Amino acid sequence: MLVTSVNPGFVPTEGFPGTDRPRVLSLDVDRVARAIVRVVLREIAPGYSIPRWTGAGQIVRVLAPGPYRWALGAAERRYGSRPAEP
């Protein structure tokens, strides 16, 4: 049995619209779903990042968690990630 972490970039959803984020940072839900299917069919493990270039961020997350959390906080402050009001 394999365990895989799928690490998507920003995915605008009803709860987290993120309309002010740069398009290069946003993924559509269909792309993430296709990636999950790909991971299952090809038995990819232990991790898969979407888009692939964000995989470097996972290295930073493991080796330097403090700066990684700071960068995520800076992105949240700049682009916001609060749930939309109902």
Side-chain angles (χ1 to χ4, degrees):
M1 180 169 87
L2 297 174
V3 176
T4 301
S5 169
V6 176
N7 307 301
F10 293 115
V11 182
T13 63
E14 188 176 301
F16 296 95
T19 54
D20 59 340
R21 288 189 191 114
R23 184 156 176 80
V24 70
L25 297 178
S26 296
L27 301 169
D28 63 90
V29 178
D30 292 335
R31 183 171 177 192
V32 176
R34 286 192 308 271
I36 292 170
V37 170
R38 182 180 310 116
V39 164
V40 171
L41 292 177
R42 295 183 184 173
E43 298 182 345
I44 298 170
Y48 189 82
S49 296
I50 314 160
R52 297 296 294 158
W53 60 266
T54 63
Q58 299 307 313
I59 294 169
V60 175
R61 180 181 61 84
V62 172
L63 298 177
Y68 179 81
R69 283 192 300 271
W70 176 86
L72 286 181
E76 179 182 358
R77 287 187 295 278
R78 181 168 183 168
Y79 302 114
S81 65
R82 292 190 191 127
E85 296 296 321

